[in-house]
Amino acid sequence: MIGIAATAIIIIAMSVLASIMVEGWASRDVALRARLVFLAVHDQVAASVGDKSGANLVPFFDRIAEDERVLALGFCSATGKLELATSALPASLKCGNLPLGVSDTQSKLSAAGRTLRVSIFPMVAGKVSGHLLVIHDLSFIEKRVRKARLYTTLALIGAAAGFALLTFSVVLALTRGWTRSMRSFIAEFRRGGPTPCAEQGAFPVSKEISALLTELRVERKFANGIHVEWSPQTLHQLLEDEMPGAQVLIVSNREPYIHNRVDGEVQLQIPASGLVSALEPVMRACGGTWIAHGSGSADQETVDGHDRIRVPPADPTYTLRRVWLSEEEQDGYYYGFANEGLWPLCHIAFVRPNFREQDWIHYKAVNERFADTVVQEATCDDPIVLVQDYHFALLPRMIRKRLPKATIITFWHIPWPNPETFSICPWREEIMDGLLGSSILGFHTQFHCNNFLEATDRFMESRIDRENSSVSLGGHETLIRPYPISIEGPPAALAAQAPVAECRAAVRRRFGLPDDVRIAVGVERFDYTKGILDRMLAVDDLLSRQPEWRGKFVLLQVAAPTRGKLDAYSALQTEAVRLAEEINARYEGCGCKPIQLVIRHHEPHQVFELFRAADMCVVSSLHDGMNLVAKEFVAARDDNAGVLILSSFAGASRELSEALIINPYDTHGMAEGFASALRMPPEEQGNRIRLMRDQIRQRNVYRWAAQMLLDAAWLRRREGIVVAAKN
Ligand code: F6P
């Protein structure tokens, strides 16, 4: 509408301008012609007016007036009398009414419905004195102006229509191209494939739309347009719908259930492992086989003739296949290469990585052993194999060689360092080559994906597609993707928990804590990456600077012994015990000890009771891939109370931004975090923890697994199409 109005205004303005120009030009033309007439007749008039021959001038004037524009000629004497006039000179024209002056003048008048122009030229020549009148009929100018207005208007309307037509055609072509692209995107989206990137489509579609479709694709099938609550059921359904009949195999070093012989009895232990707490619910939902190192003292007694046992023991839904390792193999592969080499290499905790040739040989051999076990357990040639963690960097390539059609999803549970740091590893190319045997390689964060791509760029002869985040090596493509791991929501260990008040009372009784003492908990493996010493120092800082908390604040530090054979771990344990004693001694006489260190394994239900009893949970990792303790604490607080103190160097801080984020290297800053948590009003605690609980409920571990499986399903479909096309 605005466009039409603007076009109309432009057309009117242009036609007015055209008529003004034509009128001006015609007027100048008339004036010029009148002057020419004057010059042509001047001498004749000078010679004839006033004598007898003057009468002969009339026919002469009449001849001149035959010109189509000149209507008439006349001559006014110096006395104002019309002495000569051609026949067409209007009778109403009187010399006395004209501006007869001493210079050339133009005068306009109307006569018989016409507009006339009278050009008046004074003449003084000899005895002749008077004014010559040349009268033009201006109606031709009006005609010309009307025509000019008409043609201009028509020309402009034509141009506007042409332009509109052109614009319409271009817009139509653009819209058709865009619609075609969107249709193919949506068709791909419905089929479950990844949304093509902008450059791939026939027509550029905005990156935002492409990203939106990618996001939606993950939850499309089970959402029906509504938000999905990912659960064991939806995950199971996903497998059935997207990969019917597919066999799922998981490989990890740590097994989900450990059988130990204690005092002659076989005891079941669930290990303190983020990996286990994330994957166990997924396996319960998906079924299949979990291949892991059988590390328990009673593990061999509890398996069948094929080293298998159905688990969970209370309600079996999947198979655990145990692999046996000699002590020498464990020393080289697990303690040596994995935990003295790769673990400190990938974590910025300032513990020197050690790489020994002998450890590397064991690492390779154990990876080969697990590859053979995968083949033994595979019931088809294209299973889905979920390879877990830094213990098995070489395994994806080894499986690929044995089962080329397998879909191998590798997840790296720890950070991936920058290329500079990674270059320390003497076998860096072999490690990367092994990982690039995967179909999909997952990390917790985009940052770690980027580090991996940078390292690939530096050390591998490969092709990196940054738009699609993939690496092609030897004709095989590996997708590099962030999948932030999580916990089941709500966690199984929460089901049997007593109300929060009872948990508090039980924990206070157990640790001898009066009612007015505020409780902070720390729960983890006794690992130098967790920042356990740093948080003890922060407790000391708080009590020294804010004495009102002496005897009123306690850190219950629960730490499961881990990797005790390694010096870095035993030294940490010794130092932690010493530091706890030193700090406790400093505040002796103030009431309860500020640091209570419990070095033993706790089962999940015991850990959850501690979480529920606490006023705050401290996760002060110096570096951590994700850290599921942070998420478990939040999930444990169904009373919407309690404060999470979380290191900015844990992957979880990217998602749980409502925690009090601290820098574990800043002792005083962490102490200030404790003080803020102690003073935080219940309403604020509730607001923060509710937001975090929502986040964990939506982005639970089933969603984590679903994202990987959906990408795997798409890859399998794509490979099917490629194979069909080749045949
Ligand atoms: O952080 C990576 C990780 O694999 C965790 O998932 C797990 O908690 C830990 O390392 C493994 O520890 P362990 O050596 O006791 O199996």
Side-chain angles (χ1 to χ4, degrees):
M1 205 56 209
I2 293 173
I4 293 173
T7 310
I9 289 170
I10 290 171
I11 290 173
I12 292 168
M14 293 301 285
S15 64
V16 168
L17 192 68
S19 43
I20 290 170
M21 282 171 65
V22 168
E23 191 173 0
W25 169 72
S27 289
R28 280 193 301 280
D29 186 42
V30 166
L32 198 67
R33 280 166 180 268
R35 181 146 195 85
L36 281 173
V37 170
F38 166 66
L39 293 175
V41 303
H42 178 272
D43 292 348
Q44 189 95 9
V45 173
S48 309
V49 171
D51 63 18
K52 316 195 274 297
S53 61
N56 297 335
L57 280 176
V58 175
F60 174 57
F61 277 16
D62 279 337
R63 268 200 309 283
I64 289 171
E66 277 170 15
D67 184 293
E68 63 171 326
R69 308 269 163 76
V70 180
L71 179 69
L73 270 80
F75 184 81
C76 294
S77 69
T79 56
K81 184 178 165 223
L82 186 63
E83 284 197 6
L84 290 168
T86 57
S87 53
L89 192 105
S92 57
L93 195 147
K94 305 277 186 243
C95 292
N97 297 339
L98 294 171
L100 305 174
V102 289
S103 57
D104 301 358
T105 321
Q106 307 279 326
S107 176
K108 244 183 185 180
L109 57 95
S110 292
R114 288 182 299 185
T115 306
L116 305 177
R117 154 96 46 96
V118 185
S119 306
I120 305 162
F121 301 97
M123 279 187 66
V124 181
K127 16 182 205 160
V128 175
S129 156
H131 290 83
L132 181 76
L133 310 179
V134 183
I135 295 106
H136 276 91
D137 183 353
L138 295 187
S139 52
F140 85 97
I141 294 183
E142 282 162 11
K143 272 190 213 141
R144 265 193 198 174
V145 166
R146 272 199 299 277
K147 271 189 190 165
R149 208 176 277 164
L150 178 70
Y151 294 152
T152 308
T153 305
L154 287 178
L156 286 174
I157 288 174
F163 183 71
L165 201 67
L166 187 71
T167 309
F168 179 71
S169 312
V170 171
V171 169
L172 197 68
L174 291 177
T175 312
R176 280 202 183 132
W178 194 82
T179 311
R180 245 195 331 272
S181 296
M182 285 307 290
R183 279 215 183 100
S184 77
F185 278 25
I186 288 164
E188 187 59 38
F189 169 71
R190 286 201 176 117
R191 281 197 299 277
T195 312
C197 60
E199 284 73 12
Q200 283 175 315
F203 194 82
V205 75
S206 87
K207 284 193 176 162
E208 287 76 11
I209 292 176
S210 185
L212 181 65
L213 287 174
T214 305
E215 176 81 7
L216 283 173
R217 178 178 55 77
V218 173
E219 292 169 359
R220 78 206 180 279
K221 183 146 191 173
F222 305 88
N224 293 327
I226 311 161
H227 168 71
V228 189
E229 290 285 341
W230 284 102
S231 66
Q233 292 72 34
T234 48
L235 187 61
H236 186 76
Q237 184 73 42
L238 181 157
L239 262 180
E240 283 198 345
D241 289 1
E242 300 283 310
M243 290 179 279
Q247 186 195 14
V248 177
L249 296 166
I250 287 190
V251 187
S252 74
N253 172 71
R254 187 61 65 196
E255 57 183 338
Y257 295 97
I258 304 175
H259 288 97
N260 284 317
R261 188 160 284 282
V262 183
D263 302 330
E265 298 277 311
V266 173
Q267 278 187 6
L268 183 70
Q269 184 192 331
I270 296 172
S273 160
L275 180 154
V276 167
S277 52
L279 280 167
E280 212 280 329
V282 171
M283 267 313 255
R284 269 189 271 128
C286 298
T289 300
W290 187 326
I291 301 167
H293 169 216
S295 57
S297 54
D299 274 354
Q300 302 227 16
E301 309 167 33
T302 45
V303 292
D304 64 13
H306 301 282
D307 300 327
R308 296 182 189 132
I309 177 174
R310 294 284 294 165
V311 288
D315 178 20
T317 51
Y318 66 94
T319 301
L320 171 60
R321 164 74 197 269
R322 284 172 172 153
V323 175
W324 315 115
L325 300 178
S326 69
E327 204 168 328
E328 197 189 356
E329 282 172 327
Q330 285 184 58
D331 285 348
Y333 139 83
Y334 173 76
Y335 288 108
F337 195 78
N339 287 318
E340 277 198 296
L342 291 178
W343 180 270
L345 179 80
C346 292
H347 289 91
I348 308 168
F350 307 103
V351 170
R352 185 191 191 282
N354 283 314
F355 290 105
R356 291 175 291 261
E357 176 94 36
Q358 199 52 32
D359 294 343
W360 172 242
I361 291 168
H362 281 301
Y363 187 83
K364 282 196 289 186
V366 171
N367 273 245
E368 292 280 5
R369 178 98 59 80
F370 275 82
D372 290 338
T373 311
V374 168
V375 177
Q376 286 162 19
E377 293 299 325
T379 53
C380 56
D381 63 352
D382 64 345
I384 298 164
V385 190
L386 302 168
V387 176
Q388 305 302 311
D389 232 347
Y390 61 101
H391 310 92
F392 295 115
L394 305 178
L395 188 57
R397 173 72 61 210
M398 292 171 175
I399 298 174
R400 175 74 54 218
K401 282 189 181 141
R402 288 162 171 82
L403 297 169
K405 288 164 74 181
T407 304
I408 305 167
I409 307 173
T410 303
F411 193 79
W412 194 262
H413 289 257
I414 61 178
W416 188 276
N418 64 46
E420 221 50 58
T421 306
F422 184 67
S423 70
I424 291 172
C425 178
W427 298 283
R428 61 194 183 202
E429 284 89 359
E430 286 91 332
I431 295 282
M432 300 197 73
D433 179 77
L435 289 169
L436 290 171
S438 313
S439 314
I440 302 172
L441 173 58
F443 296 92
H444 291 299
T445 66
Q446 184 62 50
F447 185 66
H448 298 149
C449 293
N450 295 347
N451 278 351
F452 181 84
L453 288 172
E454 291 309 317
T456 311
D457 204 8
R458 282 273 277 280
F459 308 121
M460 303 302 287
E461 289 282 335
S462 57
R463 187 169 59 80
I464 300 174
D465 179 346
R466 289 186 191 274
E467 188 68 40
N468 196 32
S469 193
S470 70
V471 178
S472 295
L473 183 66
H476 170 77
E477 187 184 34
T478 304
L479 305 182
I480 314 298
R481 294 279 186 277
Y483 302 107
I485 203 167
S486 195
I487 56 170
E488 61 177 332
L494 193 58
Q497 288 297 319
V500 165
E502 285 178 33
C503 293
R504 276 176 173 271
V507 168
R508 283 182 189 284
R509 261 197 313 279
R510 198 174 315 134
F511 289 92
L513 302 174
D515 283 352
D516 62 345
V517 172
R518 311 286 289 276
I519 302 172
V521 293
V523 179
E524 48 254 303
R525 290 179 308 105
F526 225 132
D527 196 296
Y528 54 78
T529 60
K530 303 297 179 185
I532 296 171
L533 300 179
D534 304 81
R535 90 184 55 148
M536 289 183 182
L537 292 171
V539 171
D540 189 21
D541 185 283
L542 173 78
L543 301 184
S544 68
R545 292 177 194 247
Q546 302 187 32
E548 67 271 27
W549 292 112
R550 293 177 188 173
K552 300 277 177 278
F553 176 75
V554 64
L555 169 66
L556 297 183
Q557 179 61 57
V558 167
T562 181
R563 306 171 191 171
K565 271 191 171 185
L566 302 180
D567 289 348
Y569 287 80
S570 48
L572 170 73
Q573 204 160 313
T574 308
E575 175 57 12
V577 172
R578 190 204 63 74
L579 184 62
E581 282 170 0
E582 181 190 309
I583 294 170
N584 286 339
R586 197 167 302 147
Y587 302 101
E588 204 160 15
C590 300
C592 67
K593 291 178 181 173
I595 295 174
Q596 305 221 8
L597 186 56
V598 187
I599 307 177
R600 72 170 170 80
H601 174 77
H602 281 62
E603 289 298 324
H605 70 274
Q606 297 171 314
V607 170
F608 272 71
E609 185 187 54
L610 279 175
F611 285 151
R612 288 163 74 75
D615 293 286
M616 70 183 84
C617 175
V618 188
V619 175
S620 55
S621 309
L622 304 180
H623 201 194
D624 221 329
M626 174 56 73
N627 194 294
L628 293 183
V629 167
K631 294 190 174 182
E632 284 174 345
F633 171 72
V634 170
R637 299 313 297 259
D638 52 9
D639 61 333
N640 292 322
V643 181
L644 174 63
I645 304 222
L646 179 58
S647 163
S648 60
F649 305 119
S653 66
R654 313 283 156 99
E655 292 179 277
L656 304 179
S657 48
E658 291 76 25
L660 290 186
I661 306 290
I662 49 108
N663 171 3
Y665 291 90
D666 174 5
T667 307
H668 181 52
M670 195 177 346
E672 285 296 306
F674 294 166
S676 302
L678 288 165
R679 296 199 182 92
M680 189 182 288
E683 198 191 338
E684 185 181 343
Q685 292 183 26
N687 290 341
R688 285 173 182 262
I689 213 152
R690 255 190 294 274
L691 282 170
M692 292 191 281
R693 284 170 61 76
D694 281 352
Q695 163 90 357
I696 291 170
R697 193 168 40 244
Q698 285 163 23
R699 300 168 73 103
N700 60 21
V701 76
Y702 302 110
R703 181 180 185 271
W704 171 75
Q707 284 183 309
M708 289 190 286
L709 292 175
L710 280 167
D711 285 343
W714 172 75
L715 276 181
R716 283 163 85 92
R717 258 195 305 275
R718 191 178 69 167
E719 272 153 25
I721 294 168
V722 173
V723 170
K726 277 185 187 157
N727 297 335

